[in-house]
Amino acid sequence: MAHGRDTLPDGPTEKCGVVGLSLADRAAARPLYYSLYALQHRGQESAGIVTHDGFQQHSHVDMGLVGDAFSESDLAGLNGTTGIGHVRYPTAGSVDKSCAQPFTVSFKSGSLGLSHNGNLVNAGEIRDTLAAKGHAFTSDGDTEVIAHDLARNLLEGDLVRAVKRTMERIHGSYALTIMHDDTVLGVRDPEGNRPLCIGELDDGYVLASESAAIDTLGGTLVRDVRPGELVLLERDGSGFDSYQLVSHERTAHCFFEHVYFARPDSRIDGTLVYQARRELGRRLWDESGVDSDVVMPVPDSGRAFASGYAEAAQDDGADVEFAEGLMKNRYVGRTFIMPTQDERERAVRLKLNPIRSTIEGRSVTIIDDSIVRGTTSRQLVSLLRDAGADEVHVRIGAPPIVAPCYMGIDMATREELIAGDQSVDDICEEIGADSLSYLSIDAVAAALSSSRIDLCLGCVTGQYPYDIDGEETDRAVERPAVTDSAPADD
Ligand code: 5GP
Ligand code: MG
């Protein structure tokens, strides 16, 4: 089928956290603020909250961490018992307030606020059609495209029908919290690529990317938002309505949420992330366990994997110690997004320091969740050798990442991925390890109690569950034809 110009995701990819809240008669701003704290790991570049007091919208969006983005007076000005929030993930190079969210727009029949986690693959086509109809865009992001399309549909129909029309036009991953005037909605894409769940509080309901945010507010997880579902929170916080607007045969849950991105204490699509990581670790031992004196996690992302791996090893009677041998300086920021390779390498040593007594004269196995560019593993192997390790084995709780993510995890380009064009043996040599093994794709599916076809495995297979220009698909998918934004009569 004919495709527009957007082979790559338009603008910055959005790997983010979203939240929405409707309370009986308490201001929503502060609980929204706390829930954004709980989602801080999903985005550190900017944070924002939009509330509605029944008459008008209030918005505060700023760069930086949640704790820095809001002052007491900012929170005090966010009136109203309903609202949405957003934390945005940093993408190298783009530090621009125009991309910060929630995105807001006012139009003839009201106001809209939008928080988006995910990435559309046909935003360019929709933007072109809307621009031709006179819509002016202020950012190059795909969230604004959703907002304008929804605003246009809202002029012609009711809220639920408008959301349905927009969902029928957009293609890609999206977990959205939306405010239409003082009504809060949650929408999850038909493949359920990004997580979104519903929680119940004493005096209201909450929508959040991860259940850890519900816990933080003292609420209970009701359930995940279903793929293709619209959840509409009652304005008085008394309940929610559900509309199954789009149904696709298969899901495409992102396995990387479980491997790396989500908090271990969150429950996503029925699985506690911590349990999933331990199970991945156990399977890693089963598939490629290696004799060594000590098993150590690469903190923090490798911890649950390493404990599962060590436990499975000990269950098998292996004489292996499970210990911490690398200490993380928690004040060092994200090494991953540092602009140059040289800086990234320096940053790993700044961030992780070995505990010599665990390492010296011993054979060690280090466990990490994933290898992207290979910077971390390469640095760690040499760090451990400098600290006197006899042997250094590396075990990874995910399959080799061979292709980029177009669905909102800002991974790296194909050229930067160490497994993009190299075998595991080559990579082992390049990072200088005595041995290296990854987990198989089948083990990932089994650990997540899923079948392969219900997961998005694009970054480990190079085949995607979406129609992306220049890439292969792993199923029959069709990008919606974007011809005109005028809704047909139905
Ligand atoms: P590498 O050093 O190989 O480029 O990246 C691997 C390390 O980065 C692993 O320790 C993993 O926990 C972490 N990582 C994996 N994916 C991401 C990501 O999308 N963002 C960030 N910040 N770190 C990641
Ligand atoms: Mg890590």
Side-chain angles (χ1 to χ4, degrees), residues 260 298-302 328 351 368-370 376:
Y260 170 75
V298 177
D300 295 306
S301 53
K328 183 169 172 175
K351 193 167 180 170
D368 205 355
D369 64 291
S370 60
T376 308

Side-chain angles (χ1 to χ4, degrees), residues 31 36 51 109 131 151 181 202 314 318 331 390 397 401 407 416 435 451:
L36 290 182
T51 59
S109 57
D181 292 333
D202 288 343
Q314 286 157 359
Y331 302 102
D390 275 352
I401 295 171
M407 311 326 306
E416 290 172 312
S435 78
S451 63

Side-chain angles (χ1 to χ4, degrees), residues 326-368:
L326 292 162
M327 275 303 129
K328 183 169 172 175
N329 180 337
R330 70 177 60 172
Y331 302 102
V332 179
R334 311 149 320 236
T335 53
F336 192 80
I337 56 147
M338 298 221 159
T340 69
Q341 187 59 22
D342 189 48
E343 282 177 273
R344 281 194 289 267
E345 283 172 16
R346 208 185 307 277
V348 173
R349 295 221 175 208
L350 204 60
K351 193 167 180 170
L352 294 167
N353 195 39
I355 296 175
R356 252 196 125 84
S357 59
T358 317
I359 296 158
E360 203 163 11
R362 306 176 85 192
S363 71
V364 303
T365 303
I366 53 170
I367 316 270
D368 205 355

